Amino acid sequence: MYQLDKKNDDHTRLVENDPRWQKVMSRDKSARDFVFAVQSTAIYCLACCPARRPNPENISFYNTPAEAEAAGYRACKRCKPDQADAGDKIRNLIEQACRRIELAEENIPLAELAKAAGLSPFYFQRQFKAITGLTPKLYARTERARRMREALTDKDSNVTQAIYDAGFQSSSRFYHHADDMLGMSPTAFKKGGKNMEIRFAVAECSLGSVLIGATSKGICAVTLGDDPEELVQNLQDRFPQAELFAGDKEFETHIAAVIAHIENPAQDFDLPLDIQGTIFQQKVWQALRDIPSGQTTSYSDLASRIGQPKASRAVAGACGANKIAVIIPCHRVVRNNGDLSGYRWGVERKRALLIKEQQKAQTKPD
């Protein structure tokens, strides 16, 4: 009896220490490179299966559905792991459509994209949004915004040429969405923020020096560091032609609100933000703001939250592009095993923020 119990305990420890078990416990939608089988029910499932989690002592992992079936298990009727290949086929078709949109010089009609995929327009659009988090139309707009930014940074191009190079069929259509895509007028972006006014101030907090910058729309920068002069120089480098003004008495409200949020990230932040990024980046940043203080997530989980489970690398890029520290809490993203990943403003600051948030969450009254 002792040997049997010891064998079960050893198996349980092996399962609990297997990285795949954490994906099962978190119902990771992106984990499709294995299935898990439950001895007590003789059923095998995907990691994302909505069924109640089994005890680890009853769990076995298999690389493919075929291996699980060869071992005597049958497919779960809820998550349908034996149909995962069909899902992969749809994802491949959507990925091909994305590449086609990215390379196209003009908008591709929905019907044409659907026909190329061999799907009805309604089903194609539904699957496209489920996988990418965007409709084909919004995906194309995001891609044009990326092209626009690249074109505007080309010293040899002018704004008009950049508009057409980015795939806009008319300048009026571009200007209608310019502020959302660039955070400013295209001329100001081209000229490094020329004619753009940014008020700023540098203060001290528990994480060191903090720079707060704001346009007329709202806070556009919160950066952390050890050298106040370096923080100001980085702001100037980002907007080389913008007019920078030291914050006045009224700006002290912004300073106080940001520092208060750094010291207690659990409290709401009510000041407006001037978030300058692509539609995709803004989706990632909003998902970050939806993570409760004291909790963490991984890049793969964050990708699943925005409906793009295969976009972990792009999500990591969006986190790295964040210029509004703490308020857009990219510090809450960790590796799949829970270890700290890189942080724009230093891993030690990230660790300090997470410890502070976890302590606040533990002491929060019920």
Side-chain angles (χ1 to χ4, degrees), residues 193-359:
K194 189 173 183 179
N195 300 324
M196 181 180 181
E197 294 184 359
I198 299 176
R199 290 179 297 159
F200 76 96
V202 178
E204 296 298 316
C205 66
S206 60
L207 299 176
S209 299
V210 54
L211 179 143
I212 302 100
T215 66
S216 58
K217 295 181 180 180
I219 291 176
C220 64
V222 175
T223 57
L224 304 167
D226 298 316
D227 185 347
E229 292 185 6
E230 184 177 342
L231 292 177
V232 176
Q233 184 60 53
N234 289 339
L235 181 67
Q236 181 70 71
D237 291 343
R238 184 179 167 198
F239 300 106
Q241 300 298 323
E243 295 187 60
L244 302 183
F245 296 95
D248 53 19
K249 191 75 174 177
E250 183 181 347
F251 197 73
E252 291 180 3
T253 303
H254 292 66
I255 301 171
V258 171
I259 292 179
H261 192 71
I262 290 173
E263 304 304 342
N264 184 13
Q267 71 178 28
D268 293 335
F269 188 84
D270 297 327
L271 293 179
L273 301 180
D274 184 1
I275 300 177
Q276 301 173 12
T278 66
I279 294 173
F280 177 83
Q281 288 174 332
Q282 292 187 42
K283 283 176 68 70
V284 173
W285 297 338
Q286 183 55 55
L288 285 170
R289 299 192 75 191
D290 291 338
I291 301 170
S293 177
Q295 297 184 22
T296 58
T297 190
S298 65
Y299 290 123
S300 58
D301 288 339
L302 193 59
S304 295
R305 284 175 185 245
I306 65 169
Q308 294 184 248
K310 289 193 171 184
S312 299
R313 188 169 297 178
V315 165
C319 291
N322 174 33
K323 305 294 194 304
I324 306 180
V326 186
I327 299 169
I328 297 178
C330 53
H331 62 275
R332 293 176 189 159
V333 182
V334 297
R335 293 194 176 97
N336 286 329
N337 62 4
D339 290 345
L340 297 188
S341 55
Y343 188 51
R344 184 187 189 93
W345 296 285
V347 173
E348 288 307 314
R349 287 190 176 89
K350 181 172 189 170
R351 180 178 287 109
L353 279 166
L354 292 176
I355 291 173
K356 186 192 297 286
E357 291 186 1
Q358 289 162 3
Q359 290 175 340

Side-chain angles (χ1 to χ4, degrees), residues 94 97-98 101 107-110 113 121-144 279-280 283 306-308:
I94 299 304
C98 289
I101 291 171
N107 285 337
I108 304 174
L110 173 63
L113 290 169
F122 174 79
Y123 186 71
F124 174 82
Q125 172 141 315
R126 187 173 68 180
Q127 293 300 316
F128 192 100
K129 186 172 183 181
I131 291 172
T132 68
L134 300 171
T135 64
K137 184 177 181 179
L138 282 177
Y139 190 92
R141 186 186 299 174
T142 299
E143 177 59 21
R144 288 198 302 273
I279 294 173
F280 177 83
K283 283 176 68 70
I306 65 169
Q308 294 184 248

Side-chain angles (χ1 to χ4, degrees), residues 10 15 24 33 39 53 62 67 85 111-112 145 168 174 234 252 262 282 291 317 321 325 340 359 361:
D10 289 343
V15 170
V24 171
D33 56 342
Q39 183 178 354
R53 301 292 84 172
Y62 295 93
E67 289 181 9
D85 288 344
E112 185 177 329
F168 288 93
F174 164 73
N234 289 339
E252 291 180 3
I262 290 173
Q282 292 187 42
I291 301 170
L340 297 188
Q359 290 175 340

